[in-house]
């Protein structure tokens, strides 16, 4: 038995592979293109582990995928691979269309051919689990009900539009061809191994380097934060018991404004690694020009997965952020290795044009 994990060298995929092999003795084949966001070091502890095979490849490479499926005959595909950063999608949307839409389509086509070649139990048990995002539902007004699986799709960024398109293709493959798919739409993840372009790791890395901590707009945008290991356990549960063709929202029941998250990170850093001058890291917070089209609020109603599959997040936000900060303090080499020249170019591109705003 084996599973194929796409994007397994990225943040959530990497955590998922490590988590899976901590629970099951089953071969995991990780397929990852190793874009700027993919990092083999995340999986270094598996280097000698016979239960793990890493393959560098593109989900848009039909031949590569077909060969992989024919050779390893996985019982499931867990599809994380994507371009995932909203700000990058605003600067350069094309890669998002290519990987998230065309790439997912290519992977589905190969999966469909493979699944059609199966018989009996192997065919009945096969699953394609598509990992998607709450951003496909658009932005919520203050006080509006959280997103359920029945919310209408209203994606606002090139990233969320590309994920929405991929969700629709996955749905169509089930509806038209019967491919046994499962889709999960999850809220903002945080935790170990997250690339420092996203809010929490960027804040930690910039704080320690004495750089400004950029907060877009008024910092009152709300996200529903989920510790990545909770996301991994939810995916395991959906794969195990989710009803074929269904969508499951996954969230942390943890709505927080961005500025509160940044304050929490600063306060933990003040405690664990105080600045030499004794001044709080909060002093480095800088309000900057907002993200174009910035969604104001996301919130997930995760009652369906709780009701049907008995899944609930285990981590509190206070403890989860503390563990995350501690992980980054304990892993300076991992951080140093991902901050290549390309990373510095991205920081320059995204932040140099954002005028500093007076504190709000
Ligand atoms: P990430 O950017 O950290 O990792 C993406 C991985 O995919 C990288 O390892 C990259 O090398 C790989 N990849 C990119 N293009 C590829 C291609 N064409 N072929 C093969 N591999 C490719 O992303 P993440 O934050 O780990 O997100 C994983 C998935 O979860 C994505 O589908 C994302 O939309 C979804 N998601 C993320 C969050 C979040 O908060 N990070 C929340 C909900 C859903
Ligand atoms: O909601 C799920 C989504 O969460 C995933 O689908 C995406 O892949 C993932 O990147 C994440 O998207 P966000 O845009 O919400 O995450 P990000 O960490 O980029 O930003 C979180 C919030 O913080 C958002 O409101 C923008 C703000 N922000 C972000 C950065 C990078 C800042 O204020 N300053 C920053 O420098």
């Amino acid at each position: 038995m084996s599973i194929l994990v796409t994007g397994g060298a990225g943040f959530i995929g990497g955590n998922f592979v490590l988590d899976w092999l901590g629970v099951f003795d089953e071969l995991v084949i990780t397929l990852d293109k190793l874009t700027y966001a993919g990092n083999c070091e995340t999986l270094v502890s598996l280097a000698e582990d016979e239960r793990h095979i890493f393959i560098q490849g593109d989900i848009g490479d039909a031949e590569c995928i077909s060969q992989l499926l024919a050779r390893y005959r996985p019982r499931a595909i867990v599809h994380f691979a994507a371009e995932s950063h909203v700000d990058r999608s605003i600067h350069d949307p094309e890669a998002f269309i290519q990987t998230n839409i065309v790439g997912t389509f290519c992977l589905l086509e190969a999966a469909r051919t493979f699944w059609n070649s199966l018989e009996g139990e192997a065919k009945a048990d096969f699953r394609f689990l598509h990992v998607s995002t709450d951003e496909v539902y658009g932005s919520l007004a203050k006080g509006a009900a959280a997103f359920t699986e029945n919310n209408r799709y209203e994606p606002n960024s090139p990233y969320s539009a590309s994920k929405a398109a991929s969700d629709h293709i996955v749905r169509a493959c089930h509806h038209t061809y019967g491919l046994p798919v499962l889709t999960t739409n999850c809220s903002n993840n945080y935790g170990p191994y997250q690339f420092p372009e996203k809010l929490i790791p960027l804040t930690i890395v910039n704080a320690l380097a004495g750089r400004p901590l950029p907060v877009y707009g008024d910092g009152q945008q709300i996200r529903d934060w989920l510790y990545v290991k909770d996301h991994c356990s939810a995916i395991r549960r959906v794969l195990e018991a989710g009803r074929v063709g269904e969508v499951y929202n996954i969230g942390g029941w943890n709505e927080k404004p961005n500025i509160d998250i940044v304050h929490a990170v600063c306060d933990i850093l003040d405690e664990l690694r105080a600045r030499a001058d004794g001044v709080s890291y909060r002093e480095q917070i800088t309000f900057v020009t907002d993200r174009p089209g910035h969604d104001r609020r996301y919130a997930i109603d995760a009652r369906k997965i709780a009701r049907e599959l008995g899944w609930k997040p285990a981590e509190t936000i206070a403890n989860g952020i503390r563990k995350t900060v501690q992980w980054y303090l304990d892993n300076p080499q991992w951080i140093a290795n991902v901050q290549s020249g390309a990373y510095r170019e991205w920081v320059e591109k995204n932040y140099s044009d954002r005028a500093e705003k007076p504190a709000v």
Side-chain angles (χ1 to χ4, degrees):
M1 299 280 256
S2 67
I3 62 166
L4 173 64
V5 176
T6 73
F11 164 48
I12 306 174
N15 275 285
F16 178 80
V17 170
L18 294 170
D19 172 89
W20 184 271
L21 288 172
V23 176
F24 301 115
D25 262 332
E26 181 176 23
L27 183 67
V28 174
I29 302 115
T30 297
L31 173 78
D32 197 296
K33 186 178 173 182
L34 295 182
T35 67
Y36 78 92
N39 186 353
C40 278
E41 264 185 68
T42 299
L43 302 174
V44 74
S45 62
L46 303 175
E48 306 295 323
D49 194 325
E50 288 179 350
R51 299 170 305 161
H52 185 244
I53 293 171
F54 179 81
I55 289 157
Q56 184 171 6
D58 191 328
I59 55 165
D61 180 343
E63 202 179 316
C64 163
I65 309 290
S66 302
Q67 280 175 8
L68 265 182
L69 294 175
R71 174 158 184 202
Y72 295 106
R73 307 186 69 72
R75 68 177 177 92
I77 298 175
V78 187
H79 177 36
F80 294 96
E83 290 292 337
S84 70
H85 190 32
V86 173
D87 291 319
R88 286 186 192 254
S89 83
I90 294 167
H91 285 278
D92 273 311
E94 193 175 341
F96 290 73
I97 305 303
Q98 201 54 44
T99 284
N100 299 358
I101 305 178
V102 181
T104 297
F105 170 68
C106 179
L107 186 66
L108 280 164
E109 283 293 87
R112 185 159 72 88
T113 306
F114 171 65
W115 175 69
N116 275 329
S117 75
L118 299 174
E119 284 173 359
E121 241 177 69
K123 186 165 191 174
D125 292 348
F126 182 81
R127 297 287 182 272
F128 184 105
L129 192 152
H130 175 60
V131 179
S132 191
T133 171
D134 58 0
E135 301 201 10
V136 297
Y137 300 123
S139 184
L140 284 170
K142 202 174 174 183
F147 301 128
T148 72
E149 291 78 1
N150 296 324
N151 264 74
R152 128 176 184 198
Y153 272 38
E154 287 182 344
N156 291 319
S157 71
Y159 162 69
S160 53
S162 68
K163 292 295 290 187
S166 68
D167 292 8
H168 291 322
I169 302 168
V170 169
R171 178 190 157 90
C173 274
H174 173 66
H175 192 79
T176 303
Y177 306 114
L179 187 71
V181 305
L182 297 154
T183 296
T184 56
N185 292 86
C186 187
S187 61
N188 283 61
N189 283 217
Y190 69 99
Y193 304 108
Q194 187 168 29
F195 192 76
E197 62 185 354
K198 309 281 167 66
L199 182 66
I200 290 180
L202 181 94
T203 300
I204 300 170
V205 166
N206 278 12
L208 294 172
R211 289 194 290 263
L213 310 181
V215 174
Y216 296 164
D218 62 3
Q220 292 302 323
Q221 303 82 5
I222 291 173
R223 299 291 182 265
D224 176 355
W225 296 92
L226 179 73
Y227 193 58
V228 65
K229 290 181 199 299
D230 278 332
H231 190 185
C232 295
S233 71
I235 291 174
R236 268 195 275 117
R237 185 69 190 129
V238 173
L239 198 55
E240 180 185 30
R243 284 186 292 133
V244 166
E246 288 292 314
V247 173
Y248 293 93
N249 280 358
I250 303 171
W253 300 105
N254 254 325
E255 284 187 62
K256 295 279 178 228
N258 292 338
I259 190 65
D260 288 12
I261 295 291
V262 174
H263 282 158
V265 170
C266 288
D267 296 350
I268 294 168
L269 278 173
D270 285 342
E271 192 190 319
L272 300 180
R273 182 74 56 86
R275 273 174 41 160
D277 59 7
V279 173
S280 169
Y281 288 99
R282 286 190 184 210
E283 289 300 311
Q284 288 167 232
I285 293 173
T286 310
F287 288 89
V288 299
T289 308
D290 210 349
R291 173 187 279 175
H294 200 171
D295 286 338
R296 197 68 183 161
R297 175 178 165 235
Y298 305 139
I300 281 279
D301 180 335
R303 280 179 296 179
K304 178 176 173 182
I305 188 170
R307 192 175 59 244
E308 286 193 14
L309 305 179
W311 178 88
K312 284 198 177 103
E315 197 57 87
T316 62
I317 182 87
N319 199 43
I321 293 189
R322 180 171 289 273
K323 286 207 280 196
T324 304
V325 171
Q326 189 65 59
W327 186 88
Y328 281 87
L329 289 174
D330 292 344
N331 289 277
Q333 201 51 51
W334 187 93
I335 300 171
N337 290 347
V338 297
Q339 290 181 293
S340 64
Y343 175 75
R344 289 192 294 275
E345 276 167 35
W346 161 250
V347 170
E348 173 66 15
K349 190 173 185 177
N350 193 40
Y351 294 98
S352 62
D353 285 348
R354 289 182 193 273
E356 192 173 326
K357 302 277 181 199
V360 284

